[in-house]
């Protein structure tokens, strides 16, 4: 399966720098835990020794014997996506969504990545569609986005069972450029570290662009 990331992105470069050690440490952290507790906190479905969950429109399975993440056909995910899933399983605290949207900057420590995040996430939507955002609507609907009442067009997505994001488009004119924003449920940081949220946001934008 295609890996939707670009190594030059700040958050992803930092994430990749110690990837092997990160995955090993996550597996060590998760193995002693009760499967039912991991499932409850993450919203994954427990199925014997497996956990089933969906990340960015892909159905995945986690073999809890070794915490190996695979596609539904049994193909093991690359280490990058393994680390995202395992970080989520390790971090998720089981709390409900806040049902309130915040910007990336509003997340704890979000200001550290915010400038880079804007470049490689929402700014790419405007670069693609500018003053003609019909493709944005088509792409978001094709991915199952739920229309919400923000901007001129906005769609919410569940990127992991307890993490919702929203892509919002404000249409400009000849004098004022269009702009886009990627918003997060205000409780998203209780389920994923902030650089992981940055990466998921970038990947969501990549999927929207690919669909359009």
């Amino acid at each position: 399966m295609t890996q939707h990331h670009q190594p030059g992105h700040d958050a992803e470069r930092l994430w990749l720098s110690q990837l092997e050690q990160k995955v090993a440490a996550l597996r060590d952290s998760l193995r002693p835990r009760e499967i039912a507790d991991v499932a409850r906190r993450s919203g994954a479905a427990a199925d014997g020794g497996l956990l089933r969950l969906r990340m960015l429109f892909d159905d995945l399975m986690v073999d809890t014997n070794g915490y190996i993440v695979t596609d539904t056909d049994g193909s093991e995910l690359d280490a990058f996506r393994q680390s995202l899933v395992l970080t989520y399983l390790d971090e998720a605290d089981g709390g409900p969504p806040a049902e309130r949207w915040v910007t990336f900057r509003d997340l704890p420590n979000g200001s550290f990545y915010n400038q880079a995040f804007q470049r490689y996430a929402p700014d790419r939507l405007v670069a693609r569609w500018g003053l003609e955002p019909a493709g944005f609507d088509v792409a978001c609907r094709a991915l199952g986005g739920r229309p919400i009442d923000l901007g001129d067009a906005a769609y919410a997505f569940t990127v992991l069972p307890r993490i919702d994001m929203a892509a919002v488009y404000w249409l400009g004119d000849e004098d004022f450029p269009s702009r886009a924003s990627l918003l997060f449920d205000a409780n998203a940081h209780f389920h994923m570290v902030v650089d992981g949220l940055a990466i998921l946001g970038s990947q969501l934008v990549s999927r929207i662009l690919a669909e359009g």
Side-chain angles (χ1 to χ4, degrees):
M1 184 171 294
T2 303
Q3 188 172 319
H4 298 279
H5 74 91
Q6 299 177 31
H9 294 162
D10 292 6
E12 297 182 17
R13 186 169 60 249
L14 290 171
W15 190 278
L16 287 164
S17 65
Q18 294 181 318
L19 188 59
E20 205 170 294
Q21 298 95 320
K22 185 189 299 283
V23 170
L26 288 165
R27 287 174 175 156
D28 287 344
S29 175
L30 286 162
R31 281 192 197 97
R33 293 170 56 182
E34 294 288 338
I35 296 172
D37 182 59
V38 176
R40 179 187 63 79
R41 289 172 175 270
S42 66
D47 180 8
L50 296 176
L51 294 172
R52 299 181 184 273
L53 74 162
R54 192 169 175 85
M55 182 175 75
L56 284 165
F57 321 113
D58 299 323
D59 292 317
L60 305 174
M61 300 187 303
V62 184
D63 183 344
T64 59
N65 286 323
Y67 276 90
I68 307 297
V69 188
T70 66
D71 292 326
T72 51
D73 67 1
S75 300
E76 189 171 332
L77 267 61
D78 56 84
F80 182 80
R81 289 192 297 155
Q82 293 253 359
S83 68
L84 285 172
V85 175
L86 296 178
T87 298
Y88 172 70
L89 293 178
D90 195 49
E91 291 284 329
D93 77 353
E99 298 184 350
R100 175 172 59 86
W101 298 111
V102 299
T103 67
F104 187 76
R105 184 190 294 275
D106 293 327
L107 296 170
N109 301 314
S111 58
F112 180 77
Y113 292 118
N114 188 63
Q115 187 174 358
F117 178 73
Q118 296 304 315
R119 285 198 312 271
Y120 65 69
D123 285 0
R124 290 192 288 148
L125 297 173
V126 173
R128 165 70 68 84
W129 286 302
L131 298 177
E132 299 179 356
F136 172 79
D137 282 286
V138 170
C140 289
R141 290 179 184 275
L143 289 169
R146 307 182 297 277
I148 57 175
D149 189 21
L150 288 173
D152 291 295
Y155 296 87
F157 300 89
T158 298
V159 301
L160 279 161
R162 299 200 185 281
I163 298 178
D164 284 351
M165 296 183 189
V168 187
Y169 208 99
W170 286 270
L171 182 61
D173 55 32
E174 293 180 356
D175 297 316
F176 296 96
S178 297
R179 61 189 180 94
S181 183
L182 205 63
L183 304 179
F184 299 77
D185 182 86
N187 284 349
H189 63 285
F190 291 120
H191 309 297
M192 174 63 83
V193 294
V194 70
D195 50 341
L197 290 173
I199 292 167
L200 289 168
S202 175
Q203 293 190 338
L204 173 59
V205 168
S206 293
R207 295 294 286 265
I208 293 171
L209 291 169
E211 199 65 36

